[in-house]
Amino acid sequence: MIADALRMAVGTLTTVRVPAPGVIDRRVAGGAMVLGPLAAVPLAAVAAVIVFLGELVGLPAFASAALALGAVALGSRGLHLDGLADTADGLGASYDRARALEVMRRGDSGPTGIATLVLGLLVQAGALAGAISAGHGIAAAAVAVVAGRGVLSLCCARGVPSARPEGLGATVAGSVPRWAAAVVFAVLAGAAALVLPWWQGLIAVALGYLAASALLARCVQRLGGVTGDVLGGCVEVAVAAVLLASSF
């Protein structure tokens, strides 16, 4: 089960080629969400290396930040960025639940989605640039990428419903035991406290989870639950919050 869960996590969250899981059921899907941070380690390593090389050759901090975030986006097929844009379009389209879900299903980005995407990336790049200038950009980049995927277990914890009867959201919604989501948070917070100033690491991860929780609560209220797009949106707002907390 663990091997299938890891394959699902890596295959879904990154462009790394892995053998297909032997079976995908709710147990495997829940395990994949718990292992999301582990699957994101290669992406975090790439982002950290780019920031390091940027500092080594004297690139402007914002340029290094943009390159690192761009590499992460490429390494995840832009999956979460697309989710953020679609979620923004759905929430901004209509107070009618069915209409909002239909807008999200179409996949084409409207003005609200594009604006949210641009602003989100500017915030992430600006915050990472601040962390680079503060002297801990490498750690901030790695923590943000990994912690951002950590919120997937929170968003798929028991009690969180699916907005649709089909799709990724229906497969993973409510599939993670709450204690497992709590363990993921504790491990990530502890790891962040080791590589960043301890207080800043704890605050960064906590704010990432808080931002994701706020978006999750709004989507459950408006849409009736989570979808794959909502999960992606939660990842991106968590990354932004972690980087903001690490930017000074």
Side-chain angles (χ1 to χ4, degrees):
M1 191 278 286
I2 294 178
D4 282 337
L6 184 58
R7 290 191 191 106
M8 180 179 176
V10 174
T12 302
L13 301 177
T14 77
T15 56
V16 178
R17 290 194 173 188
V18 293
V23 62
I24 297 179
D25 54 21
R26 285 184 60 77
R27 191 179 176 198
V28 170
M33 297 300 98
V34 170
L35 295 174
L38 182 60
V41 167
L43 299 179
V46 169
V49 168
I50 290 175
V51 171
F52 170 75
L53 292 177
E55 291 180 332
L56 191 65
V57 302
L59 282 181
F62 192 87
S64 294
L67 288 171
L69 292 169
V72 172
L74 286 174
S76 57
R77 305 183 190 87
L79 181 69
H80 308 307
L81 292 172
D82 178 70
L84 177 63
D86 287 346
T87 299
D89 276 332
L91 293 177
S94 171
Y95 281 101
D96 179 75
R97 173 179 174 273
R99 168 65 177 162
L101 288 171
E102 178 57 32
V103 168
M104 293 170 65
R105 189 193 297 272
R106 287 206 307 261
D108 53 333
S109 295
T112 303
I114 292 172
T116 300
L117 195 58
V118 171
L119 290 172
L121 287 170
L122 284 174
V123 168
Q124 289 182 7
L128 180 52
I132 293 171
S133 298
H136 47 255
I138 296 172
V143 168
V145 172
V146 174
R149 279 67 184 172
V151 303
L152 290 170
S153 59
L154 167 72
C155 297
C156 298
R158 296 277 164 79
V160 179
S162 173
R164 298 191 184 103
E166 78 287 334
L168 178 62
T171 303
V172 300
S175 63
V176 178
R178 293 181 181 179
W179 65 264
V183 168
V184 172
F185 169 77
V187 170
L188 291 173
L194 292 176
V195 297
L196 289 167
W198 71 267
W199 57 271
Q200 195 168 32
L202 294 177
I203 291 174
V205 174
L207 283 180
Y209 268 69
L210 183 62
S213 297
L215 179 57
L216 175 66
R218 181 60 173 164
C219 290
V220 170
Q221 178 191 37
R222 281 285 314 279
L223 306 175
V226 297
T227 68
D229 286 330
V230 171
L231 296 179
C234 287
V235 168
E236 291 299 334
V237 299
V239 169
V242 171
L243 288 174
L244 281 172
S246 307
S247 64
F248 54 91

